[in-house]
């Protein structure tokens, strides 16, 4: 999944794809790099971000969705608003990526159920302005699992087909850098919940912290977002090996290759299964 943030303020690519023609061209380029689908978002969810209104979100994302669908590209919409999800689906989006996992807008699950689209339910506790005040867990993996299960139950209760639910542990959302690493060490547990798993580590701050260097005057300097690509591809390898269905990334080429490496290796490890499939 390639990312196009049609926002002025995303930490990773904010301001670069605000004009619809540029955003559409970038989506086309992401597919040329190996993305199977493109995620279009109009609202930044970086830590501390404040919300924009629904009309502005629609103004940003709908022309881009229409443009990419016209190119034959599979599009997902990254939104917490049911009304945006509905209009994005009407414009041709085939997947809803709700970082709040249906917790922000009570109508979201019903929209996904009615449309029959797959929906990403990310582990989420609070909007971006306050999410980093909610990083206490008694047991990180158990608590995320339990909270995700509540979100799944709500979706199924609203009529979403369980087969259409994709889970995401929500790296960086109400999680410290250290907690992100613990999540990554337990991806198999989340895969074991029985739904497809999406992992979105691309360019996130915890990678900048891991790769930090020192400035000439001795200050620690985070590795900037656009130089976190090799680490992102390394995490793609780990996620694919753990059985994740999808990674959400800003530069798909290295991640697409990493996925092919893991798929080839898995074929080597389970030759009988592949032989039977052929
Ligand atoms: N992270 C961001 C935006 N959308 N969607 C999912 N499913 N999971 C994520 O972790 C996620 C997301 C924030 O990153 P960005 O600003 O680079 O898009």
């Amino acid at each position: 999944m390639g990312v196009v943030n049609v926002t002025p303020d995303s930490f990773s690519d904010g301001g670069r794809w605000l004009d619809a023609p540029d955003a559409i061209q970038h989506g086309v380029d992401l597919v040329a790099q190996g993305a199977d689908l493109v995620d279009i978002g109009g609202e930044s969810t970086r830590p501390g971000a404040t919300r924009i209104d629904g009309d502005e979100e629609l103004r940003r994302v709908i022309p881009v969705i229409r443009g990419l669908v016209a190119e034959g590209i599979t599009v997902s919409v990254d939104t917490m608003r049911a009304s945006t999800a509905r209009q994005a689906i009407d414009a041709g989006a085939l997947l809803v990526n709700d970082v709040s996992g249906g917790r922000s807008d009570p109508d979201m699950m019903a929209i996904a159920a009615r449309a029959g689209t797959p929906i990403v339910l990310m582990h989420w506790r609070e909007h971006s302005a306050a999410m980093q005040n909610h990083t206490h867990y008694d047991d990180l993996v158990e608590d995320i699992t339990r909270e995700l299960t509540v979100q799944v139950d709500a979706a199924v209760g609203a009529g979403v087909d369980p087969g259409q639910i994709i889970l995401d542990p929500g790296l960086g959302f109400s999680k410290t850098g250290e907690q992100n690493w613990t999540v990554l060490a337990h991806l198999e547990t989340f895969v074991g919940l029985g739904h497809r798993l999406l992992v979105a580590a691309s360019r996130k701050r915890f990678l900048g912290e891991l790769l930090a260097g020192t400035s000439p005057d001795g200050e620690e300097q985070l590795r900037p977002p656009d130089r976190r690509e090799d680490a992102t591809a390394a995490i793609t390898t780990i996620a694919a090996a753990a059985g994740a269905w999808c990674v959400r990334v800003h530069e798909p080429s290295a991640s697409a290759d990493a996925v092919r490496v893991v798929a080839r290796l898995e074929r080597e490890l389970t030759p009988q299964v592949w032989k039977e499939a052929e």
Side-chain angles (χ1 to χ4, degrees):
M1 173 189 278
V3 181
V4 180
N5 286 317
V6 192
T7 62
D9 56 341
S10 290
F11 77 94
S12 50
D13 57 356
R16 293 188 65 191
W17 320 116
L18 255 183
D19 291 334
D22 293 343
I24 293 165
Q25 184 56 50
H26 185 53
V28 170
D29 292 345
L30 293 174
V31 171
Q33 276 190 41
D36 293 319
L37 73 163
V38 175
D39 191 37
I40 312 297
E43 181 169 53
S44 170
T45 49
R46 70 182 159 71
T50 49
R51 301 211 65 192
I52 58 165
D53 73 41
D55 288 342
E56 176 61 12
E57 187 181 33
L58 284 171
R59 197 190 61 72
R60 292 178 186 177
V61 299
I62 298 298
V64 181
I65 292 171
R66 286 217 176 92
L68 288 173
V69 169
E71 298 283 343
I73 289 172
T74 304
V75 168
S76 74
V77 61
D78 184 342
T79 185
M80 290 181 273
R81 281 194 186 83
S83 55
T84 302
R86 191 181 50 72
Q87 293 196 45
I89 291 166
D90 290 347
L94 290 182
L95 188 148
V96 175
N97 174 23
D98 180 356
V99 297
S100 83
R103 297 190 59 204
S104 174
D105 186 332
D107 297 331
M108 182 62 96
M109 305 297 200
I111 294 292
R114 210 171 306 141
T117 53
I119 179 165
V120 178
L121 302 179
M122 197 190 80
H123 175 257
W124 185 90
R125 288 181 157 183
E126 185 49 80
H127 283 288
S128 298
M131 67 181 175
Q132 293 311 95
N133 301 332
H134 297 268
T135 58
H136 173 78
Y137 297 84
D138 291 331
D139 179 299
L140 182 73
V141 175
E142 266 182 40
D143 291 358
I144 294 173
T145 300
R146 192 184 53 256
E147 290 167 31
L148 275 176
T149 305
V150 170
Q151 290 167 237
V152 169
D153 289 348
V156 173
V160 175
D161 174 349
Q164 296 288 54
I165 294 174
I166 298 151
L167 296 180
D168 177 345
L171 292 167
F173 287 81
S174 293
K175 292 171 198 78
T176 64
E178 291 302 306
Q179 288 167 341
N180 289 335
W181 290 109
T182 306
V183 167
L184 286 171
H186 291 84
L187 289 179
E188 276 98 348
T189 304
F190 302 113
V191 170
L193 295 175
H195 297 276
R196 289 173 281 175
L197 190 77
L198 185 150
V199 176
S202 185
R203 296 186 175 176
K204 284 190 174 165
R205 182 184 170 90
F206 74 108
L207 300 180
E209 288 166 356
L210 177 78
L211 304 170
T214 312
S215 73
D217 45 12
E219 297 234 335
E220 191 189 61
Q221 270 182 338
L222 293 190
R223 177 84 66 86
D226 62 351
R227 291 186 47 233
R228 300 173 189 168
E229 286 302 330
D230 296 347
T232 298
I235 291 184
T236 295
T237 311
I238 291 163
W245 169 75
C246 181
V247 288
R248 179 183 180 278
V249 296
H250 299 86
E251 279 196 21
S253 53
S255 284
D257 287 355
V259 167
R260 289 169 76 172
V261 167
V262 173
R264 178 64 187 86
L265 201 58
E266 276 176 359
R267 193 171 165 173
E268 208 60 32
L269 292 167
T270 51
Q272 196 52 40
V273 177
W274 281 92
K275 220 175 252 160
E276 281 163 15
E278 274 165 11

